[in-house]
Structures are given as structure tokens and as C-alpha cells.
Amino acid sequence: MSLPLLRLPVRGCSVAETCLSALRSAISMTLEDSRRVQNAGYQLNRKPAKVPIKILQPGPSLLPKGSEPKQLLEQKLTSELDPTGWRQQLFQRSSPLALRPGDVVRVVFNSETNQTFVGTIMAIRRRGLDTSVRLRSEVAQLGVEMSVKVYSTSVKNFEFISRAVKKARRAKLYYLRPDEKKGK
Amino acid sequence: MIYLKSVLNVIDNSGAAMVECVNVLGKGNKTAGRVGDRIVVVVQSIRSAKLLAQTSAQNRVQRGDVRHAVIVRTKKEFQRQDGTVVRFDDNACVLINKQGEPIGTRIMGVVARELQQGYAKIVALAPKVV
């Protein structure tokens, strides 16, 4: 059985009709069948559902209309995780106490030994609650980098130690890393 | 990420200076070693005799020795449960025996806190833990 070539749609005749006529002649359907196909479109053999489909009504809204859930959540979490607001003071760009790349800072963690890490700020990644600071320090003649989540409950405090000697001309100081190719 | 052919610094006084990883133990096939993982290493270079004087003759390692080691620092960053990400400037290990105890008696340098689970002796010996 060879398939007939699909002719380009003739003016006044839709593409669908042309395709259908080609299909029809290819499989030699009866006129009745072809009418059924034409009328049904893509919904062939549609039987009524045995179990009626439940249509549920939407429940009462938990938030006032026009409110932004994401903003509300962020505000709620910020007030829980940072009630005094010192984190915002240190990491908001506009704040007068804002930390800048190049500053030396000490992080105190919430552990039994009050573990600390002192380092130069290499990068501040500002993402609201997900804000993190990348600190770099030389520990026993070895470079160590630590990226600390500012709003983490394991972080007790950030202590500012010293300002950058000269204002860094960059926001991210990745050049502080040793150059692998050259001799150290 | 430590796997076959990775070269690591040895930071104890066992005698070895640089080792090459041959196998990562306790992990699936082609899974890289991370801080706290046990590896099999081949000693590539040894330290000067001055430093070796502190270790006993039986513990001293030779070039070409095949030993076990535990990874204490990686250049590849690793993440902790609280979201802190840590990265060192080199890959380092401490040579251990089959029971998991360090061969050397001193550790020079920083080790990662992750070693607390299972290698408490190394953490105790280390001058600095990050």
C-alpha cells in the first residue's frame, strides 16, 4: 500500500481537511467511519466516566488577599533568626556598620568550645536569609577558606576586627588565592 | 576529591612527605575520597633524616611503601550540616595502620573537624583544627 503524496492545501480547504483526506484514502475507511473521525477530532472512543469526578471548591484563604506569601515568610524568619538585627546591620550595603571585602572578621560558632575562625572577607554573597560570607585566613602557614551562612543558628557572632587597609577595588577578592602556576 | 593518582602531602612525622593515592576504601566504585575517608597510598618521597629521628625504626616508612592513610584536608570544598563550606589550599593525609591509629607521633598543620568521628586521636594530636 503506497501512501499518497500530501498535496498543499488548496485555497478554501484547511490543512486538517487535506491531511484527513489523505489519511482516509490511505487506509480506505468507510464513509461513516471517516465522518466519525472528523466529528470526534482527537477524542475517539470517549466513554462516560463510571465514577463521577469530584470537583472540590477552594478552601478559605489563609492569607489576606493581595499579600505576598514569600515576603511574609522572609520577614517572619528574619525576625526569628535575627531579632536584634545585628546581622542586617553588618551585611546590608546601606548600613553604616556594613562589612566590606578586605575587612578582617572573627566568626564565633555555637559549639561547646566556642570555635572561632578569623579571616579576611573575600566575598559577601547577599541573598537575604541565605547570605553568606567567604573568609580566608592563613592557619599554620596554610590557606583556609570558609564560607559561613550568616543567618545560621550555629553562628553565634561576627566580631569586626579591622577595616581593610586600602579600600578593595573589587567586590570579590579571589585574587588573594595563591597563584598555582607561579612559585609561591 | 581524592582518587587514583592524587598526590597528597603527609603531615605527620611518619617519614613520608608525599604520597600517591591508589585506592579509596569503603566507598563505591569511582567515588572520590573526601575528608575523613580512608585511602591506600604509595609513598613517593620521604622527609629528611633530621625529622625522622623522632620516629621509631619500625614505624619509619620507605619510598615505595604501600600504606593506609586518612584524608585530613582537601582542596575541594566540603559542606557541613549548618551550611558552612570549608576549603583548604592543599590535599593532605595522615598515615595510619590497619587499626586506624596514626603511625607517627606528631601532626604538623591543620586538620578538618570532620575527623572527630573515628579519628579522635589525630584531632587530639593536631595543633589546629578547623
Side-chain angles (χ1 to χ4, degrees), chain A residues 124-135:
Chain A
I124 301 174
R125 181 181 176 271
R126 291 189 178 85
R127 298 283 191 283
L129 288 170
D130 206 20
T131 303
S132 70
V133 194
R134 191 172 261 269
L135 303 169

Side-chain angles (χ1 to χ4, degrees), chain B:
Chain B
M1 281 174 66
I2 309 295
Y3 38 83
L4 177 67
K5 298 304 262 180
S6 295
V7 176
L8 299 103
N9 293 327
V10 181
I11 62 165
D12 58 13
N13 62 349
S14 60
M18 302 269 270
V19 294
E20 186 181 287
C21 176
V22 165
N23 193 18
V24 179
L25 299 174
K27 298 197 119 171
N29 190 26
K30 293 196 175 140
T31 310
R34 288 147 62 152
V35 167
D37 287 344
R38 201 160 159 159
I39 55 173
V40 182
V41 297
V42 176
V43 178
Q44 299 289 9
S45 60
I46 51 174
R47 289 194 198 278
S48 62
K50 205 173 165 183
L51 221 93
L52 291 181
Q54 293 169 17
T55 27
S56 60
Q58 59 184 339
N59 276 347
R60 220 163 288 171
V61 297
Q62 304 299 327
R63 205 170 159 272
D65 271 9
V66 177
R67 299 278 181 156
H68 282 211
V70 60
I71 302 169
V72 299
R73 297 198 295 252
T74 51
K75 206 158 175 192
K76 176 69 184 163
E77 62 277 347
F78 55 91
Q79 193 165 29
R80 293 186 171 149
Q81 282 297 316
D82 63 347
T84 309
V85 176
V86 183
R87 205 189 93 109
F88 296 96
D89 267 8
D90 75 341
N91 300 308
C93 67
V94 167
L95 297 191
I96 54 174
N97 59 16
K98 296 277 161 66
Q99 284 76 45
E101 290 153 22
I103 296 173
T105 52
R106 265 182 61 208
I107 291 181
M108 286 99 56
V110 205
V111 299
R113 196 162 288 278
E114 272 67 9
L115 292 172
Q116 208 109 52
Q117 238 87 18
Y119 299 99
K121 194 164 181 198
I122 294 177
V123 173
L125 286 170
K128 196 87 174 87
V129 184
V130 165

